[in-house]
Amino acid sequence: MKFMKLGTRPDTFYTEEATRSVISDVPGDLVIRINNISYLLHQFSLLPKCGLLQRLRSDSEDSNTVTIELHDIPGGEDAFEMCAKYCYGITINLSAHNFQGWKDSVVTLQTTVKLTEWSDNLGIFRRCVDSIVEKILTPPAQVTWSYTYTRKGFNKQQQSVPKDWWTEDISDLDIDLFRCIIIAIKSTYMLPPQLIGEALHVYACRWLPDATKITPPESSVSQTDDVAENHRKIIEIIVNMIPADKGSVSVGFLLRLLSIANHLGASTVTKTELIRRSSLQLEEATVSDLLFPTHSSSNKHYYDIDLVAAVLDSFLLLWRRTSPAPTENSQSMRSIRKIGKLIDSYLQVVARDINLPVSKVLSVAEALPDIARKNHDDLYKGINIYLKEHPEMSKSDKKRLCRPLDCQKLSPEVRTHAVKNERLPLRTVVQVLFFEQEKGSRANDQRMSAQEQLLSRGKQIPLVRDELSKLQLERHEQTSRLEGIGKAPAPSESSSRDHQKIKRTDKKMPLESEKKVAREEIEEEETKDGGSSRSKINARKIMKNRSGSDHSRDKSRDR
């Protein structure tokens, strides 16, 4: 541990009846009271080196002995005694151990801003930083000093010391002092990056404006140049100190910083870095993380669509570079599908903004590649909400809005809703109907092919039965000849009648089967098309084809 030695005289302080004094031939004329301890000292030693004591001495009554109370002095009686020894020239060692209280170290460091040159020359600044860092690196179980922690739901008396117990106290520091503390902590490599990121998050919430409540300049009291410049300085320093580890800060925090940076007019480097970092963690975002008000006075709409579009473009650029040909179950496919779901859900929220132009919606909706959406149900919901909230849209704008919608990727339930949706442009409805009809035609073709195979098999059944009848007759005749019985017309006539009856019955079977299939197809077409003229034509064609087939078959039977 580094330390600095000040003074050359030996320590001559002593205690007598709860009073601390110093051995001297001159009687004391200055009494300092701190908590329950009194110090009997000399004005000529302390007043020339302490402006505070000079002011308090001038306010007191003129008497031989002056009494001053300093109960709120940082560091308490121990810190005061060390300062008093320094004034007397007594040897003292300054190190991080001299600052016993956690908050005392923070307050002392903050006061060094007013006396920068003296603090640097005397090493006070460095030793305050060492003391603060030493306490931050202390294991939470060994923290016994007071600290500030105002998170919701936390109870100091019932819960153990949290790992980020120190973040709120150091957030009171000036940004330059705060940066020194964070740099010193990072140099030790003893704390995880998530804990450092939490300290940056607490500091940003303490000093930067709320991104969700920022209003355009024309509707709010404009900030002074000094305040705006200080905010820009804070956000740029915070962005530079974010650990490089992915996940050290949340994507919601990065997006809030980006929104604030746009509002404050931060440097291009800062905004570019925030867009890049946000795009790397965009998969972790929720819809609420993307909802920020626009900061441009020229935009009448509420939500900042350009911010989301910029982050999305950065994500897609990296995704295309690392995933040139993603497969169905690959990580890159799951990643892009998750982003597609997020963006469609986001569009369903911002579509309720009555001042949002179509071009802003399309800038986000059309940015995604086709494979990002397994189906277009969520996109359809967003478009439908926009059409509902913007009833005065022109036909051309409606067509533009529905341009990214693929009717073939809609579920049957959504297609049914789309056919009845009067807000959709006619072109989109026709596309849905065409796809429905085309899908139904393919299903009919497949069913007809299966039925033809069954009919062809059915036509072979009478032939087999004819052969069986012939074999039975031949066997009967052979048996009659062996028994020496003459030709008996009755059995053969009976068998012939049975044979003809079987043939007629078998020939009727495929005909009745075909007619039944035809009737089913007609009923199905009428049910599907709602009794339209097209279904009637199809039905007549089917009946005509079926009757022609029956007529030709009757001719062949007569022959």
Side-chain angles (χ1 to χ4, degrees):
M1 176 68 67
K2 294 183 179 179
F3 68 93
M4 182 172 62
K5 188 175 182 179
L6 300 176
T8 57
R9 296 177 56 187
D11 188 356
T12 56
F13 269 69
Y14 66 96
T15 302
E16 183 178 353
E17 296 180 357
T19 300
R20 294 281 290 170
S21 186
V22 61
I23 299 176
S24 175
D25 296 334
V26 180
D29 57 355
L30 178 63
V31 176
I32 304 294
R33 291 178 180 173
I34 302 175
N35 299 328
N36 297 324
I37 297 180
S38 297
Y39 289 88
L40 180 59
L41 305 174
H42 303 85
Q43 297 184 32
F44 67 85
S45 297
L46 272 66
L47 265 62
K49 298 180 180 179
C50 182
L52 175 63
L53 293 179
Q54 293 177 16
R55 291 194 300 271
L56 295 176
R57 169 67 180 84
S58 63
D59 295 338
S60 62
E61 297 179 358
D62 190 8
S63 60
N64 294 332
T65 303
V66 178
T67 302
I68 299 175
E69 295 185 357
L70 295 176
H71 299 298
D72 57 348
I73 184 173
E77 57 272 14
D78 294 336
F80 173 78
E81 183 169 328
M82 185 176 297
C83 294
K85 290 179 180 180
Y86 168 75
C87 294
Y88 279 99
I90 296 175
T91 302
I92 59 173
N93 294 323
L94 289 179
S95 67
H97 292 292
N98 297 132
F99 301 96
Q100 297 297 324
W102 157 251
K103 293 186 177 181
D104 297 336
S105 301
V106 176
V107 173
T108 304
L109 179 61
Q110 183 67 38
T111 58
T112 61
V113 177
K114 300 178 181 179
L115 301 171
T116 306
E117 186 176 355
W118 281 22
S119 300
D120 292 340
N121 293 338
L122 296 175
I124 298 176
F125 172 80
R126 184 70 261 168
R127 281 157 181 77
C128 286
V129 172
D130 290 343
S131 174
I132 292 173
V133 173
E134 181 185 29
K135 288 179 171 61
I136 290 175
L137 298 179
T138 302
Q142 299 178 16
V143 173
T144 58
W145 48 83
S146 175
Y147 58 89
T148 304
Y149 200 81
T150 59
R151 313 298 170 83
K152 292 182 180 180
F154 179 76
N155 191 331
K156 287 185 178 180
Q157 298 178 353
Q158 299 179 358
Q159 295 177 258
S160 58
V161 178
K163 294 181 180 180
D164 58 341
W165 61 267
W166 48 273
T167 55
E168 291 190 32
D169 285 324
I170 67 169
S171 68
D172 292 332
L173 295 172
D174 177 80
I175 184 60
D176 293 320
L177 298 176
F178 177 77
R179 175 172 57 182
C180 292
I181 295 294
I182 296 298
I183 291 175
I185 294 173
K186 293 173 70 174
S187 65
T188 63
Y189 298 97
M190 294 180 64
L191 293 184
Q194 290 79 9
L195 201 53
I196 297 175
E198 178 62 20
L200 298 177
H201 176 260
V202 172
Y203 194 91
C205 293
R206 170 73 171 78
W207 293 101
L208 294 177
D210 188 352
T212 60
K213 298 180 181 179
I214 294 176
T215 55
E218 62 181 11
S219 61
S220 62
V221 179
S222 59
Q223 294 179 326
T224 62
D225 294 340
D226 293 340
V227 173
E229 181 62 30
N230 184 53
H231 285 166
R232 281 193 292 271
K233 178 182 178 181
I234 290 174
I235 194 170
E236 290 177 0
I237 290 177
I238 288 177
V239 172
N240 289 332
M241 288 193 298
I242 295 176
D245 306 71
K246 183 179 179 181
S248 58
V249 294
S250 66
V251 64
F253 177 54
L254 291 170
L255 292 169
R256 287 200 297 273
L257 289 180
L258 178 57
S259 180
I260 297 172
N262 290 335
H263 171 67
L264 297 175
S267 65
T268 304
V269 175
T270 299
K271 290 189 285 188
T272 302
E273 177 64 14
L274 285 171
I275 291 173
R276 186 188 69 83
R277 294 294 297 265
S278 300
S279 65
L280 292 175
Q281 298 178 224
L282 187 57
E283 294 180 57
E284 305 169 9
T286 61
V287 175
S288 59
D289 292 331
L290 305 177
L291 299 177
F292 295 101
T294 183
H295 308 308
S296 176
S297 58
S298 60
N299 294 330
K300 295 182 180 180
H301 56 274
Y302 179 77
Y303 295 105
D304 192 352
I305 307 294
D306 296 333
L307 181 148
V308 178
V311 175
L312 179 60
D313 289 342
S314 178
F315 170 84
L316 293 175
L317 182 64
L318 179 63
W319 180 81
R320 291 189 179 99
R321 188 183 305 162
T322 57
S323 308
T327 57
E328 181 61 30
N329 294 321
S330 62
Q331 177 60 34
S332 59
M333 180 63 76
R334 290 192 293 269
S335 175
I336 193 65
R337 290 275 172 84
K338 191 173 183 179
I339 296 300
K341 188 78 173 177
L342 173 67
I343 295 301
D344 287 345
S345 300
Y346 170 75
L347 290 175
Q348 294 176 27
V349 177
V350 300
R352 304 181 187 276
D353 186 355
I354 59 175
N355 295 320
L356 184 66
V358 176
S359 58
K360 295 294 183 181
V361 178
L362 293 176
S363 66
V364 177
E366 293 185 331
L368 292 170
D370 293 338
I371 61 175
R373 297 182 175 98
K374 191 172 183 178
N375 61 67
H376 280 209
D377 289 0
D378 290 334
L379 179 60
Y380 171 82
K381 292 177 183 178
I383 292 175
N384 186 46
I385 292 173
Y386 189 91
L387 292 172
K388 184 177 180 180
E389 298 294 333
H390 303 76
E392 303 299 328
M393 285 180 63
S394 63
K395 292 182 180 180
S396 59
D397 284 343
K398 288 184 177 181
K399 290 181 181 179
R400 289 175 56 207
L401 181 64
C402 296
R403 190 169 57 198
L405 189 64
D406 187 352
C407 299
Q408 298 185 24
K409 289 188 177 182
L410 297 177
S411 64
E413 295 80 8
V414 174
R415 287 200 301 269
T416 302
H417 183 277
V419 170
K420 301 176 183 179
N421 192 347
E422 298 179 355
R423 289 185 288 266
L424 289 175
L426 182 60
R427 180 180 178 181
T428 304
V429 177
V430 171
Q431 289 177 350
V432 175
L433 289 172
F434 177 78
F435 174 71
E436 282 284 338
Q437 190 175 28
E438 186 180 11
K439 186 177 181 181
S441 299
R442 287 197 297 267
N444 287 337
D445 292 341
Q446 293 176 359
R447 187 165 57 252
M448 287 294 294
S449 176
Q451 291 172 355
E452 288 175 357
Q453 293 179 2
L454 290 174
L455 289 174
S456 63
R457 293 178 182 178
K459 292 177 182 179
Q460 296 175 1
I461 293 175
L463 299 176
V464 174
R465 291 186 177 180
D466 289 344
E467 294 297 330
L468 290 173
S469 300
K470 289 179 180 180
L471 290 174
Q472 289 176 357
L473 287 173
E474 291 177 357
R475 188 178 305 153
H476 181 70
E477 292 176 355
Q478 291 176 0
T479 303
S480 299
R481 284 195 297 269
L482 290 173
E483 293 177 354
I485 301 175
K487 185 175 181 181
S492 94
E493 287 177 1
S494 176
S495 300
S496 177
R497 283 196 301 270
D498 293 340
H499 172 64
Q500 292 176 1
K501 185 176 180 180
I502 290 173
K503 288 181 67 176
R504 284 196 300 269
T505 303
D506 292 340
K507 288 178 180 178
K508 288 181 181 180
M509 289 180 61
L511 297 178
E512 292 176 357
S513 176
E514 289 182 1
K515 289 179 180 179
K516 184 178 179 181
V517 171
R519 284 195 300 270
E520 291 176 353
E521 290 179 354
I522 293 170
E523 292 173 358
E524 185 175 356
E525 290 290 337
E526 289 177 350
T527 303
K528 184 180 299 182
D529 297 332
S532 63
S533 59
R534 181 176 178 86
S535 65
K536 292 179 181 179
I537 293 173
N538 291 338
R540 286 196 293 269
K541 286 183 178 180
I542 293 170
M543 292 298 296
K544 184 177 179 180
N545 293 335
R546 296 295 180 183
S547 62
S549 176
D550 294 346
H551 182 66
S552 60
R553 195 176 291 108
D554 291 339
K555 281 185 177 181
S556 61
R557 186 168 60 248
D558 293 339
R559 286 196 296 267

